[in-house]
Amino acid sequence: MMRYAEPGTVEWVESGGGPLIAVPETVLPFWAGADGEETASDYDRACEVDGLLGLLPVGDAAALVLGDEPAATAFLPEQGTLVRWVAGDSEAELLGCVPAALHTARWQSEVHWKVPGTVLLFDAAWPGRHSGATDHVRLTLDPGRYAVRAARVQPGPETWLILVQLRPLP
């Protein structure tokens, strides 16, 4: 089992109350967030995603929207998994549950996401061009197609999390 020694071992990102979005760096300038003169902003489109995750077109790529809960989220590259902290007493306890939770999760239907490389995870309300100046996490991903699936799990009586797993496709 993987151990996470001290609080702050992983980098967490939070939103102001809406969804988080993972946008490929190559198309960050095309994500307008809550800005814009359109009737429905990019942020509004992200808020319309029903369920734990969804894809939205951005420029010539797609962004991954983490819907449902505005939970603090961290990326664990060794498991290819985004961990969303819904409830739990400590970071160490929550992260310590992840390996077992990955094996017992009841996964929802997956989506296929074509990624041109590194993506930034940040509050969907922010414009992409300003995302680096706000709370964000960089996900270093190899270019290619990924199967993305999500599950809500309760590994302990007081611990709830959402797992979003990214698996490379051949």
Side-chain angles (χ1 to χ4, degrees):
M1 173 183 277
M2 183 160 298
R3 297 279 179 212
Y4 297 89
E6 297 293 324
T9 301
V10 297
E11 196 174 349
W12 295 91
V13 63
E14 297 185 54
S15 78
L20 292 172
I21 188 159
V23 180
E25 283 186 324
T26 59
V27 295
L28 277 173
F30 297 105
W31 181 258
D35 292 350
E37 299 173 19
E38 307 264 337
T39 307
S41 67
D42 285 341
Y43 176 74
D44 293 329
R45 292 189 311 134
C47 288
E48 290 174 4
V49 168
D50 189 29
L52 298 178
L53 58 87
L55 296 174
L56 287 179
V58 178
D60 63 355
L64 177 68
V65 178
L66 303 182
D68 191 47
E69 301 245 356
T73 303
F75 183 57
L76 305 180
E78 60 277 358
Q79 281 116 347
T81 302
L82 292 159
V83 177
R84 311 201 66 212
W85 187 339
V86 177
D89 290 332
S90 72
E91 178 183 90
E93 176 188 335
L94 186 90
L95 293 174
C97 294
V98 170
L102 285 167
H103 294 293
T104 61
R106 298 185 111 175
W107 299 101
Q108 295 182 356
S109 298
E110 65 185 27
V111 298
H112 291 180
W113 184 28
K114 186 176 180 189
V115 177
T118 300
V119 302
L120 245 56
L121 178 68
F122 58 96
D123 187 328
W126 283 92
R129 67 185 180 283
H130 298 301
S131 60
T134 185
D135 194 20
H136 70 279
V137 170
R138 178 171 270 104
L139 283 66
T140 304
L141 301 174
D142 291 330
R145 291 176 28 109
Y146 289 80
V148 184
R149 61 187 184 171
R152 181 184 305 276
V153 296
Q154 183 182 2
E158 304 285 327
T159 306
W160 290 84
L161 53 117
I162 297 170
L163 301 173
V164 179
Q165 190 176 52
L166 294 86
R167 296 176 296 124
L169 291 170

